[in-house]
Amino acid sequence: MNRRLITSALPYVNNVPHLGNLLQVLSADVFARFCRSRGYDTLYICGTDEYGTATETRALEEKKSPKELCDYYHSIHEEIYKWFDIDFDYFGRTSTPQQTEIVQSLFKDLDSRGFIKENSIQQLFCPKCERFLADRFVNGTCPHCGADDARGDQCDKCGKLLDPTELKNPRCSTCGTTPVLKETKHLYIDLPGIQKDYSPWMNKTSIDGKWSNNSIQITKSWIRDGLHERAITRDLKWGIPVPKPGYENKVFYVWFDAPIGYISITKALADKLALENNEEKLDWKAWWCPEEADDRKTASIPVDLFQFIGKDNIPFHTVIFPSTLIGSGRNWTKLHHMSSTEYLNYENGKFSKSRNIGVFGNDAIETGIPSDAWRFYIFYNRPEKSDTQFLWKDFQEKINSELIGNLGNLVNRTCTFVSRYYDGKIPEGTPDESLWSQIKEHEKKVTDLFEWAELKDAFHEIFAISSIANKAFQDGEPWKTRNTEPEKAASLIRDLCYIIKDLMIMIQPYLPQYSKKVLSFFDKQTVNKRRGYKGNENPLDWSNLGITEGLTICKKPEIVFTPLDDAKINEYRLRYGGNQNNQTEEKKTEKKQQKEAAKKEQPKPLSKEEQIALFNSKISLKVAKIISIERNPDSDKLYIEHLDDGSGTDRVIQSGLVPYLKEEELLGKHVIIADNLKPRKMRGIESRGMLLACDYKNGEKDCVEVLDCPWAAPGTQIVLEGSQNIELDKPEIEADTFFQIKIETVNNQVQVGGVSLLADGKKITTQFAENGEVS
Ligand SMILES: [Zn+2]
Ligand SMILES: [Zn+2]
């Protein structure tokens, strides 16, 4: 069996990881646990990525040295991963002497083979901050797809890697100033020169190693345009010194050095074990550069490198890192299988530390929900083929129905039955061949899926086995047959005990604590331990699957997971849904405004003529097209709508239509908005304008019809029939002013003061709301 070298993307040190970040370290953990159980010689390496501009500026902000900042955050990462039970062989870091040594030696190899070029470039320099701007510190419009928030190194929208000078409308991300170009010298890796060796490798490995589809697509699109030279030096202090005269004030670009961290962290582990005189020795070269290893025995077994990353990291792992290794001329271990996921989002939005949205590692710990429950949901919902959402409601449902209702129920009812009716001794019996052939077929599927790190499908397959077992319990009715056909009942219960044992072996990579707990209900002395391996206290491994002997007792089970109730789930959703302080403040002002409004005397209703005059002088209604729509995660009623109002800029409004209309009923509509209302913040998000809709009744049901005019282009001004010389650019108004006029439908005609409203010369009508008030 080949050896398996496993890595997960090195988390950037100065962020507390959220569930989306944790996905990668967890995925590699599940796979590594499987490999160990299956009998592969396995090494799982990860660590914090510590160099670069973000650390340097963050350290300035926090008044620490970059080293102090990294020490502080590294320990936070370590603590969180420990809580999530991630069983690294080593969790190291990149700011080490080993990293400097290996990065510099790879650089020298590349340089000696002519793959390092020197170029003078014009680099963006912020006159206000008085510094050259590293690429992440420039924002602007993506030259490829037009996204307006692309970073200098990469566009998140289209995934293309960028050079900051390519950005349209560049801005310094610190101060917003437009940067200027200034000349400076940098070193480049000659990717075009390496491409003739890289391309055949990529073509073969991506197929042999069954790279995930998104990584093949993104890699191909990247090399299709031809590879370009890429700068590997930066004007920073916090990084690895460049061993070349004239570059004393520069360091290596963090993306040149970070992937090399996988190698240096392995060496750091080897050095640590040697220093401790640990009997477990590690020759790092046996894993990363077998031809040069001293440990010939280990090095003689081929090694397969499995890498786990998010889709934003693909080109760095499939193009730049392998090219660096290939260009060095030495036979390094290179990527075999690429497991790159899509994004895990949060409640239909993005995780955001600054806005306090989402569950971060420390939050998960604080909830008191066991780490295995988080692990369960993350893998049940792993974003493999498309983005997925962390939704509290779904989290609750899946935990309650699958983890507790399916698997937990099987364990609980079976173990309780043994302890109650068989005095805790697993009864004698004959295995049911047809049941076991079904189980074994599914077990084979689980193994096959696991071999290629199809972690979500393998997980679902395990739950399918649990369903089969539950059905066997249900159909077998052992609570009846125990008296009528005792041998049949005993055989069934015996089979179920062994199926549970198998399930716990297979689920161990995902839910290690749960597996350990459930297996502790059974005795284990009589089960043969095939081989010992590090990090797995469970003596049962993959080789025991399908074996139906060796267990004798089954203790009364303990409850591990408790169902999540609505109140708790709502509390968590609120707690992790955004900045609480702002929301309370907002509510206070809202209430205050309402009170003040109530105090004011109701103004006298305006006459029809006064309403028409007010409309013409003050009120601006416009046509706008809904181009995207989503729910406001902090509200049961509000949609957030992005509009094209003809101005060419993104416009966001909110409307309380969730109880009445579905997203697809609104998307694409040419609606009418009150255009010049003062912007208003609702549940944390600013709304610029208000969408017009009319109430009506359908039987007893309250319904709402949104006014629309599909014939009119976005930006079209709504006018009253017969009005002349209307001022088009009206100033902002308060909501009170707007509500002084009454817009209503009369026999399906939308009117103000008895006069019809027109869009592009055509009367605005309703379909359902015959007579009613528009608001
Ligand atoms: Zn600046
Ligand atoms: Zn783009």
Side-chain angles (χ1 to χ4, degrees), residues 15 30 188 206 268 277 286 304 320-321 359 365 452 478 492 592 619 653 691 731 734 767:
N15 296 316
V30 169
Y188 287 69
S206 58
N277 266 325
D304 291 331
I320 296 182
F321 184 41
V359 178
I365 298 173
W452 286 104
L492 172 64
K592 206 171 143 198
I619 307 237
I653 64 164
L691 178 157
E734 297 285 341
Q767 202 180 345

Side-chain angles (χ1 to χ4, degrees), residues 125-131 133 137 171-177:
F125 180 87
C126 175
K128 192 161 172 209
C129 299
E130 291 187 330
R131 60 185 286 174
L133 299 176
F137 281 74
R171 307 178 291 277
C172 166
S173 72
T174 313
C175 72
T177 303

Side-chain angles (χ1 to χ4, degrees), residues 141-150 154-162:
T141 307
C142 171
H144 302 286
C145 75
D148 65 359
D149 55 354
Q154 184 167 26
C155 171
D156 282 336
K157 185 101 177 282
C158 68
K160 288 229 165 65
L161 296 187
L162 301 172

Side-chain angles (χ1 to χ4, degrees), residues 415-677:
C415 296
T416 304
F417 206 90
V418 176
S419 93
R420 188 174 296 162
Y421 299 113
Y422 299 102
D423 209 19
K425 295 188 182 66
I426 294 170
E428 290 302 315
T430 343
D432 176 341
E433 292 306 329
S434 96
L435 176 64
W436 275 103
S437 86
Q438 250 193 96
I439 299 289
K440 282 178 184 172
E441 196 181 304
H442 281 276
E443 288 182 345
K444 185 178 180 307
K445 257 193 216 165
V446 173
T447 309
D448 293 345
L449 289 165
F450 247 131
E451 285 290 346
W452 286 104
E454 303 273 356
L455 304 180
K456 183 184 187 173
D457 290 349
F459 199 41
H460 283 250
E461 204 56 45
I462 294 169
F463 280 89
I465 296 174
S466 176
S467 296
I468 292 170
N470 265 319
K471 187 167 183 305
F473 191 106
Q474 207 58 36
D475 294 349
E477 301 184 316
W479 57 94
K480 284 187 194 161
T481 53
R482 184 175 64 86
N483 298 315
T484 55
E485 296 169 88
E487 278 171 20
K488 196 177 157 196
S491 290
L492 172 64
I493 292 297
R494 180 187 167 84
D495 279 340
L496 292 174
C497 285
Y498 282 100
I499 293 172
I500 290 173
K501 181 261 304 170
D502 280 12
L503 283 168
M504 290 306 123
I505 292 170
M506 290 182 289
I507 215 137
Q508 187 273 344
Y510 300 98
L511 313 178
Q513 293 175 5
Y514 181 66
S515 164
K516 191 177 164 198
K517 185 85 203 168
V518 171
L519 284 171
S520 78
F521 305 154
F522 298 89
D523 59 332
K524 291 176 292 187
Q525 298 88 324
T526 50
V527 172
N528 289 328
K529 184 175 173 182
R530 192 166 60 84
R531 64 189 288 275
Y533 37 79
K534 216 166 77 53
N536 185 353
E537 294 152 325
N538 175 0
L540 288 171
D541 65 25
W542 220 260
S543 66
N544 196 278
L545 285 185
I547 290 178
T548 54
E549 54 192 26
L551 301 178
T552 55
I553 61 163
C554 175
K555 285 188 275 187
K556 195 167 179 289
E558 296 158 48
I559 296 297
V560 180
F561 301 109
T562 43
L564 296 164
D565 61 46
D566 290 350
K568 265 271 171 265
I569 285 296
N570 286 335
E571 185 197 318
Y572 294 139
R573 193 193 288 118
L574 272 179
R575 199 191 300 170
Y576 305 115
N579 200 316
Q580 290 308 297
N581 295 334
N582 283 355
Q583 278 185 10
T584 346
E585 278 308 304
E586 222 171 277
K587 267 185 198 152
K588 272 187 202 158
T589 17
E590 220 170 279
K591 276 205 178 132
K592 206 171 143 198
Q593 283 169 352
Q594 281 169 1
K595 268 189 191 163
E596 276 170 11
K599 265 190 234 160
K600 278 186 204 161
E601 277 181 42
Q602 290 291 325
K604 201 170 121 259
L606 299 180
S607 69
K608 283 186 174 181
E609 290 71 26
E610 283 169 330
Q611 285 191 50
I612 292 167
L614 181 63
F615 184 95
N616 285 339
S617 62
K618 294 244 171 102
I619 307 237
S620 169
L621 302 183
K622 257 188 196 166
V623 177
K625 183 179 175 184
I626 301 182
I627 48 178
S628 79
I629 182 162
E630 66 202 287
R631 302 251 321 235
N632 183 323
D634 298 327
S635 163
D636 294 336
K637 294 198 182 119
L638 291 174
Y639 280 127
I640 303 168
E641 292 119 343
H642 289 259
L643 303 177
D644 170 9
D645 66 357
S647 68
T649 54
D650 185 37
R651 176 173 196 154
V652 179
I653 64 164
Q654 296 196 76
S655 49
L657 293 171
V658 172
Y660 308 103
L661 294 163
K662 295 199 189 95
E663 284 94 330
E664 57 268 29
E665 292 174 295
L666 290 163
L667 191 63
K669 276 215 159 141
H670 290 219
V671 297
I672 297 171
I673 55 168
D675 177 48
N676 61 338
L677 281 185

Side-chain angles (χ1 to χ4, degrees), residues 40 73 123 131 187 205 280 350 501 645 670 678 761:
Y40 290 102
Y73 278 103
Q123 192 178 336
R131 60 185 286 174
L187 295 174
T205 310
E280 194 186 338
K350 280 189 175 163
K501 181 261 304 170
D645 66 357
H670 290 219
K678 207 171 163 184

Side-chain angles (χ1 to χ4, degrees), residues 236-254:
L236 293 174
K237 294 190 190 73
W238 179 238
I240 296 171
V242 180
K244 195 175 175 76
Y247 287 85
E248 291 77 9
N249 291 327
K250 308 207 182 209
V251 298
F252 284 111
Y253 177 39
V254 68

